[in-house]
Amino acid sequence: MKEEGKHKKAKKYGMVINLDECTGCGACMVACMAENNVPFKEDESNKLDSIAWMRVYKLTNGKSYPEADICYLPRPCMHCEGDHGHSPCVSVCPATATDYSHETGIVSQIYTRCFGCRYCMGACPYHARYFNWWDPVWPEGSTKYLSPNVSPRMRGVVEKCSFCFHRYQLAMDKAYFEGRTELEEDEYQTSCTQACPAGAITFGDLNNPEHKVHQLAKPDNKHGGRPGNPNVFRLLERLGTNPKVYYMSSREWVRRAGDNYLDNEDFAKNYRR
Amino acid sequence: MKIGRRSFLSFVVGGAAGTAITPLPWKLTDDSSIWSQNWPWTPVPPDGEYSQSDSVCTLCPGGCGITVRKVDDRVVKIEGMKGHPINDGGLCLMGLSGLQLLYGPTRVKTPLKRVGKRGEGKWEKISWDEAISEVTKKLADIRSNGESHAVGSIVDSESGTVPNLFKRFLTAYGSPNFMTMPSIQDSYGMTLQLMHGVSAQAGFDAENADFILSFGSGIIDGWGSPVRMFKANSAWKANGKKVVQIEPRLSNTAAKSDKWIPIKPGTEAALALGLANVIITNSLDSKKISQSTGFESFKKLVQNEYSTDKVSKITGINSATIVSLAKNFARASKPLAICGKGQGSIPGNLNEFMAVHALNALVGNINEDGGVWAVTETDYIKWPELEMDSVAESGMQKERIDGAGSEYPHAKSLLNRLAEVINSGDGSLEVIFVSGANPLYSMPDSKAMKTAFDSIPFVVSFSSYMDETAGNADLILPNHVYLERYEDVPTLAGLSKPIVGLTRPVVKPQFNTKHVGDVVMLIAKALGGGMADAFPWESYEACLKETLGVKWDVLVKKGFEFNGDKCILEGDFNFYPEAMKSLSNFSPVSVEGSVISYPLILIPYDSIRLANGYIGDPPFAIKAVEDTVLKDKNSCVEINPKTGKELGLTEGRYAFLHTPRGKAKVKVHLYEGIMPGIVALPRGLGHTAYDKYLAGKGCNFNELIGPTEDPVSGLDAAWGIRARLTKV
């Protein structure tokens, strides 16, 4: 088994989100909540404590009427690889409750190990992590739709997007049962990817040149995975977090909004080889 | 005190003993371990056998296919059906949160009879037999008094077996008052009736169009069949097709379009005719159409009354933009113009619909790829001819309470007029049935609608949920939700190829509910005589099977029937029907209120994240609403920063929003994407019913606006109302 694993090429699951096609409809957010047993409270309008593994942000170009423009940006966990798996959150977790998998490139979150210090939330530059300040409460009868594939969380732990890791496990189980060790591209897709009515999200193995994500992002692994496609960018590229979620937009102001560039800065240079 | 060996030791021993006896440290240790460990009351969802089942979503008229994932007999997830011709795997957030409607706290679990005052929320649980005999007794009394026309019904649409059962029931009973919830389909249907002389719905081959000109239609905000439009939009993007959006606010659709052209609201018809003028003047019109009836008069109309300069003044769009837009539109190989604002819940101005349809005809896209087609009403409902008794016949002779067919000869149903007719004493109803609709929330001037309902002695709701209308009813006869029942779902919402879907019971009914079709038949049978004979079926399911005939097997197997053929829009096209004559002297659609007391204009906006029809937002959907739309318990209004400065209102300030119809407390959100002088308020908030996750949040736009009767159709054409914002 161990020998076999050695020869297998490591996967690097990632996402490309086409912001030209994203309509900001929020289906990804709800698909995620329904898939992952995400709880809800009576009032969710305080977005700082509203748990949303996937959150859609609204960007504006800062111009006045009628030159104003908006664009939506869905933000799951970026599953940062950092430098050889040193993602910002993994580096600070004192409990090994969150870890980087070199096999899949997915940053895990193990609720029963987490004791709620929230260092990881401080370390995450993307606000992708949420703390359970309260016990989740489902209204009477509503526990019936909870999925057995994802354990509901308790008060006092941190949670975040897992790239629907349970779907990977189920797909792998099926593959092993059928005597395979590799997955087809469409066998493992996240809930948000599947639900997106605009088809704006593409998910797959960034290391596999046959997968659409690789073809769209053209990641350069020698330079921290930065994209080779000029319309593709990542959030806070210059931090060196090496995120695995890529965004695509034909509008320059949107690509520029991906990091804190100075007004006259040539932001494209960060992507040039 | 001197501390000696003795006192020190007794302090330590006493302290140790005290610590051992007091529960506090143990409690703290226990608490801290509980804090960091699994708690017994955290649910552990039981595992079981996995299965899947296909069905159709009915939460909006879009008709998406769904696949539900089950673990034993629990449904744990709803997903879009792969390979379905409408949504092919994608699904909107309402469809995705459907399980919260199935298992959620807002269900009506058993027939309920009101015991307190109306709307007080005091109910008595009754059996189905009692409930049905209650209704039957009332109806029998009214009928024997010769007042059968004083019974009315409000349903969501006019197509499908359930609305037709209601219609048949009322006809056999002797009442013409079959009313439906309004939508742009009413206006499109009437446009085709007037300009083609056919009874059909407009279908759009949107996927194949290459230049889409939208007069405020929320292409990606829920217009038509929402997921289908999302997919079309993505295909346009991928293939470099052009979309131009015309509306005063930078909506999501406008932001995603290639060009956003702000327009003075209410002047869209003038723009359409102005574009027609440029097209004709530059001989860019389709040659085959110039032979059509009325073309010369139409030409004269646009050339005399809709010169570019004049239209520019009316619409506030500069002349160069109008000319280049018209040229680009006409020169595109497959241009398509659509209208119906936002999600299309307000029928709108008929002149605008006719002008836009004429524009389509002018560029020759009727019955062409990427153009306008027809979708005929469902043809599978062929029930035996009704034999009406004398009461039914005399009842059906009476005029409808809403004036459809009499005062407004082209209209089929004018629910927007009901409140005023009843409240002004021009008409009255004894009994009203409401099914699949929530008029007390979603009709304009919902407060007036409630007053009208208050004067109807017997209100019966068939709602599955405790919505506003159900909460104000005398009797609730709860229907199964769509995941618990068989029902045909004909989809007409702008599709160019008609599709019939079938919902099926993916779980057994969770509560003591009954299919509304069965209840209607049970009431008819209890009434006996001709009423019973009108419904020869044993049950709703038997009726459905018989009605669908050979389709049934296909539907049960696949979940939908779709032959992929477009329907030809037949009839002789008339460019300039009589009804269009009023356009010879353009006046914008009127807006209620005086400029002096209400200097601003309030318009609604639709978001796909907010449901504003029969269904209210389930908890997941309301959670996904942005904090610039809903914050704490307040709706946010959008105003231009310039308007904000004039009024001294800054971001996040509270303000009162006044209109001639009502007043609400709102939060201010400054938005550069809105025309100065306009206030925009989201539709879909301000529920008073449903559950605590939805009720009491924000304000209901419908409480602030009243209906405006379109002079030709009688349908509601109100796109906004005058308003004032004052500091709190």
Side-chain angles (χ1 to χ4, degrees):
Chain A
M1 246 345 244
K2 222 174 181 181
E3 286 302 305
E4 250 179 59
K6 257 185 192 168
H7 294 292
K8 244 191 322 183
K9 209 177 160 210
K11 307 267 185 305
K12 216 163 103 175
Y13 282 105
M15 218 174 240
V16 179
I17 306 179
N18 185 339
L19 301 183
D20 290 337
E21 287 180 359
C22 170
T23 64
C25 73
C28 51
M29 298 167 78
V30 172
C32 172
M33 291 173 199
E35 178 78 20
N36 293 299
N37 297 336
V38 176
F40 50 89
K41 316 186 291 292
E42 194 176 326
D43 179 37
E44 292 281 7
S45 72
N46 178 3
K47 299 302 175 190
L48 290 177
D49 66 28
S50 172
I51 300 176
W53 294 10
M54 173 67 119
R55 184 175 166 196
V56 178
Y57 286 85
K58 189 178 187 172
L59 313 177
T60 51
N61 67 350
K63 290 192 179 165
S64 307
Y65 175 88
E67 263 85 50
D69 197 4
I70 53 170
C71 186
Y72 289 92
L73 184 138
R75 190 250 34 227
C77 168
M78 300 285 138
H79 294 271
C80 308
E81 188 182 358
D83 194 8
H84 299 290
H86 291 282
S87 353
C89 53
V90 170
S91 308
V92 297
C93 180
T96 331
T98 184
D99 204 358
Y100 185 85
S101 158
H102 288 278
E103 194 187 327
T104 57
I106 292 173
V107 176
S108 61
Q109 180 71 20
I110 301 160
Y111 313 120
T112 43
R113 279 191 194 165
C114 173
F115 54 74
C117 72
R118 299 187 284 129
Y119 283 6
C120 56
M121 290 173 70
C124 175
Y126 303 105
H127 301 283
R129 294 176 158 271
Y130 291 90
F131 186 62
N132 282 275
W133 289 99
W134 299 276
D135 245 339
V137 181
W138 280 274
E140 196 201 331
S142 293
T143 50
K144 278 193 186 163
Y145 63 72
L146 294 182
S147 157
N149 300 134
V150 183
S151 44
R153 282 70 63 188
M154 51 304 248
R155 188 209 317 168
V157 302
V158 170
E159 60 182 76
K160 68 159 194 81
C161 154
S162 66
F163 269 174
C164 290
F165 186 67
H166 59 283
R167 289 189 171 209
Y168 174 76
Q169 290 175 311
L170 288 172
M172 283 306 274
D173 284 353
K174 188 165 168 274
Y176 281 135
F177 182 75
E178 290 166 2
R180 292 177 288 134
T181 54
E182 294 290 323
L183 292 179
E184 292 297 320
E185 190 175 1
D186 64 353
E187 272 185 298
Y188 168 40
Q189 291 291 322
T190 64
S191 176
C192 52
T193 309
Q194 194 186 41
C196 178
I201 309 177
T202 313
F203 181 79
D205 179 9
L206 289 162
N207 279 348
N208 189 337
E210 298 195 343
H211 281 202
K212 232 180 125 198
V213 275
H214 178 95
Q215 294 158 5
L216 288 170
K218 302 193 177 68
D220 176 6
N221 280 344
K222 288 203 184 80
H223 294 89
R226 71 184 180 190
N229 180 339
N231 278 349
V232 172
F233 67 101
R234 296 189 288 184
L235 294 183
L236 306 177
E237 175 73 39
R238 296 177 295 180
L239 280 184
T241 52
N242 190 0
K244 280 197 282 296
V245 177
Y246 294 78
Y247 295 92
M248 199 155 85
S249 175
S250 58
R251 304 184 190 199
E252 195 196 306
W253 74 264
V254 174
R255 299 200 295 273
R256 230 186 148 82
D259 204 342
N260 303 304
Y261 298 107
L262 295 171
D263 280 350
N264 300 318
E265 193 173 347
D266 172 18
F267 81 98
K269 78 167 186 240
N270 298 295
Y271 292 96
R272 244 177 254 142
R273 294 211 181 122
Chain B
M1 198 181 89
K2 196 184 149 222
I3 300 170
R5 177 177 161 273
R6 203 183 172 87
S7 60
F8 175 74
L9 277 179
S10 51
F11 177 74
V12 170
V13 172
T19 310
I21 292 161
T22 170
L24 195 69
W26 311 118
K27 181 75 187 129
L28 289 175
T29 318
D30 189 38
D31 273 4
S32 60
S33 61
I34 284 173
W35 178 267
S36 58
Q37 297 297 318
N38 249 325
W39 296 9
W41 53 87
T42 304
V44 180
D47 216 339
E49 197 185 328
Y50 289 48
S51 61
Q52 285 194 340
S53 190
D54 291 340
S55 189
V56 178
C57 182
T58 64
L59 300 180
C60 86
C64 289
I66 53 174
T67 299
V68 301
R69 217 162 71 206
K70 288 172 70 178
V71 175
D72 287 339
D73 59 350
R74 304 186 296 124
V75 193
V76 297
K77 178 94 187 281
I78 299 177
E79 283 162 359
M81 191 201 295
K82 286 204 180 93
H84 192 278
I86 293 179
N87 59 320
D88 189 18
L91 202 58
C92 82
L93 82 174
M94 293 301 153
L96 286 160
S97 35
L99 295 181
Q100 298 191 316
L101 294 167
L102 171 68
Y103 294 124
T106 183
R107 291 286 303 267
V108 179
K109 300 180 173 125
T110 178
L112 294 176
K113 188 184 167 183
R114 173 175 67 88
V115 285
K117 279 195 214 107
R118 267 222 191 134
E120 204 182 14
K122 286 191 183 153
W123 304 95
E124 182 195 342
K125 290 178 185 168
I126 55 172
S127 72
W128 274 103
D129 289 343
E130 285 171 283
I132 284 163
S133 71
E134 187 105 3
V135 182
T136 314
K137 220 174 90 218
K138 206 92 183 179
L139 289 181
D141 284 352
I142 294 170
R143 201 165 198 263
S144 62
N145 293 340
E147 291 287 313
S148 68
H149 58 279
V151 174
S153 77
I154 299 174
V155 296
D156 51 345
S157 82
E158 52 173 359
S159 34
T161 48
V162 167
N164 276 291
L165 281 174
F166 270 101
K167 202 171 183 177
R168 192 175 175 87
F169 181 90
L170 286 184
T171 310
Y173 181 79
S175 169
N177 292 314
F178 170 79
M179 289 171 276
T180 54
M181 290 303 282
S183 82
I184 52 167
Q185 305 232 350
D186 300 333
S187 289
Y188 267 122
M190 210 179 288
T191 302
L192 299 192
Q193 182 74 53
L194 293 169
M195 298 182 89
H196 289 263
V198 294
S199 172
Q201 271 301 324
F204 304 99
D205 188 16
E207 291 81 357
N208 292 316
D210 67 353
F211 191 109
I212 296 87
L213 176 58
S214 151
F215 290 83
S217 303
I219 296 172
I220 54 167
D221 295 295
W223 185 90
S225 176
V227 175
R228 178 247 183 170
M229 294 311 292
F230 282 122
K231 293 209 171 293
N233 186 63
S234 292
W236 297 332
K237 290 264 167 296
N239 301 319
K241 314 286 168 155
K242 294 276 168 279
V243 182
V244 175
Q245 179 74 3
I246 296 160
E247 61 177 318
R249 175 181 173 269
L250 182 74
S251 64
N252 290 356
T253 306
K256 278 284 168 278
S257 67
D258 296 276
K259 194 172 170 63
W260 165 48
I261 304 178
I263 187 172
K264 277 187 207 158
T267 65
E268 289 84 355
L271 177 65
L273 295 175
L275 297 174
N277 173 40
V278 178
I279 292 171
I280 294 174
T281 312
N282 290 285
S283 309
L284 293 168
D285 52 315
S286 164
K287 292 302 158 247
K288 65 178 178 189
I289 208 78
S290 54
Q291 306 301 321
S292 299
T293 322
F295 180 73
E296 287 307 318
S297 328
F298 180 78
K299 191 172 164 183
K300 222 165 86 193
L301 169 82
V302 297
Q303 287 185 335
N304 293 346
E305 302 298 329
Y306 295 91
S307 67
T308 305
D309 287 346
K310 197 170 165 193
V311 170
S312 169
K313 250 184 226 123
I314 297 173
T315 59
I317 302 171
N318 74 47
S319 302
T321 308
I322 296 174
V323 172
S324 76
L325 176 62
K327 287 184 177 169
N328 291 336
F329 180 68
R331 282 182 187 144
S333 65
K334 290 166 188 168
L336 174 67
I338 56 173
C339 63
K341 290 188 180 61
Q343 295 182 348
S345 48
I346 300 295
N349 171 238
L350 193 67
N351 277 338
E352 180 186 331
F353 279 74
M354 290 194 291
V356 171
H357 192 62
L359 196 59
N360 278 319
L362 202 59
V363 293
N365 73 3
I366 290 172
N367 296 328
E368 295 290 334
D369 268 3
V372 186
W373 295 74
V375 187
T376 43
E377 299 289 333
T378 41
D379 56 355
Y380 53 83
I381 299 177
K382 291 182 184 104
W383 290 337
E385 194 72 25
L386 250 183
E387 279 180 36
M388 291 198 274
D389 58 15
S390 58
V391 184
E393 259 172 26
S394 76
M396 287 303 286
Q397 300 285 317
K398 297 267 182 4
E399 271 181 20
R400 285 173 62 102
I401 186 167
D402 58 3
S406 50
E407 223 167 307
Y408 290 99
H410 309 301
K412 287 182 185 167
S413 164
L414 294 170
L415 188 57
N416 53 309
R417 300 186 78 231
L418 183 71
E420 211 198 309
V421 170
I422 291 181
N423 294 342
S424 65
D426 289 344
S428 64
L429 286 176
E430 291 292 314
V431 175
I432 187 106
F433 295 123
V434 184
S435 168
N438 186 11
L440 294 203
Y441 172 82
S442 45
M443 287 303 290
D445 205 349
S446 49
K447 276 188 259 169
M449 196 52 131
K450 187 172 176 297
T451 313
F453 264 58
D454 285 345
S455 71
I456 302 175
F458 196 54
V459 178
V460 183
S461 164
F462 292 90
S463 183
S464 307
Y465 319 106
M466 194 52 99
D467 56 38
E468 281 80 358
T469 312
N472 277 289
D474 299 297
L475 198 62
I476 311 178
L477 309 174
N479 191 4
H480 300 325
V481 304
Y482 66 115
L483 299 163
E484 302 168 325
R485 67 179 193 237
Y486 277 117
E487 197 167 314
D488 53 325
V489 186
T491 304
L492 301 170
L495 300 179
S496 57
K497 301 164 189 174
I499 295 180
V500 180
L502 180 76
T503 65
R504 71 179 92 201
V506 294
V507 280
K508 60 174 195 303
Q510 299 292 305
F511 304 108
N512 182 22
T513 53
K514 241 188 212 321
H515 197 296
V516 58
D518 278 322
V519 179
V520 169
M521 284 191 222
L522 283 172
I523 297 171
K525 280 175 185 158
L527 282 166
M531 289 292 292
D533 297 339
F535 297 90
W537 307 282
E538 206 172 282
S539 64
Y540 173 74
E541 206 178 309
C543 164
L544 185 65
K545 263 187 203 168
E546 194 189 307
T547 310
L548 291 168
V550 286
K551 281 191 166 87
W552 173 262
D553 289 337
V554 182
L555 285 170
V556 168
K557 209 169 140 209
K558 261 174 59 180
F560 61 90
E561 195 213 47
F562 175 65
N563 62 17
D565 291 334
K566 293 187 200 120
C567 301
I568 302 279
L569 184 47
E570 284 165 348
D572 293 324
F573 180 70
N574 182 357
F575 252 112
Y576 197 56
E578 188 65 32
M580 241 166 133
K581 295 271 156 34
S582 60
L583 279 170
S584 58
N585 187 9
F586 186 80
S587 62
V589 184
S590 64
V591 56
E592 188 180 340
S594 78
V595 193
I596 300 152
S597 25
Y598 301 101
L600 303 169
I601 284 180
L602 172 69
I603 59 167
Y605 72 88
D606 289 340
S607 156
I608 190 84
R609 299 190 203 176
L610 285 167
N612 61 46
Y614 165 47
I615 306 289
D617 257 18
F620 280 155
I622 200 80
K623 184 175 174 176
V625 171
E626 290 167 312
D627 54 358
T628 50
V629 175
L630 172 71
K631 182 68 185 169
D632 302 326
K633 298 267 180 193
N634 295 98
S635 290
C636 301
V637 288
E638 290 178 356
I639 52 171
N640 192 291
K642 245 189 225 161
T643 315
K645 208 171 171 189
E646 279 164 23
L647 300 170
L649 291 169
T650 48
E651 176 72 28
R653 278 286 296 263
Y654 286 104
F656 285 115
L657 176 62
H658 310 255
T659 73
R661 300 272 174 159
K663 178 182 161 189
K665 192 180 167 192
V666 293
K667 224 174 156 96
V668 170
H669 173 49
L670 300 179
Y671 182 41
E672 286 288 1
I674 189 159
M675 198 180 253
I678 287 185
V679 189
L681 185 70
R683 255 202 284 247
L685 290 168
H687 275 279
T688 53
Y690 286 98
D691 45 38
K692 64 175 181 180
Y693 303 98
L694 184 60
K697 293 186 178 179
C699 61
N700 180 4
F701 177 81
N702 293 320
E703 286 187 7
L704 300 172
I705 192 169
T708 302
E709 264 169 49
D710 183 79
V712 181
S713 64
L715 292 162
D716 182 20
W719 50 265
I721 189 164
R722 291 219 153 263
R724 186 172 73 235
L725 269 178
T726 52
K727 285 186 198 170
V728 168

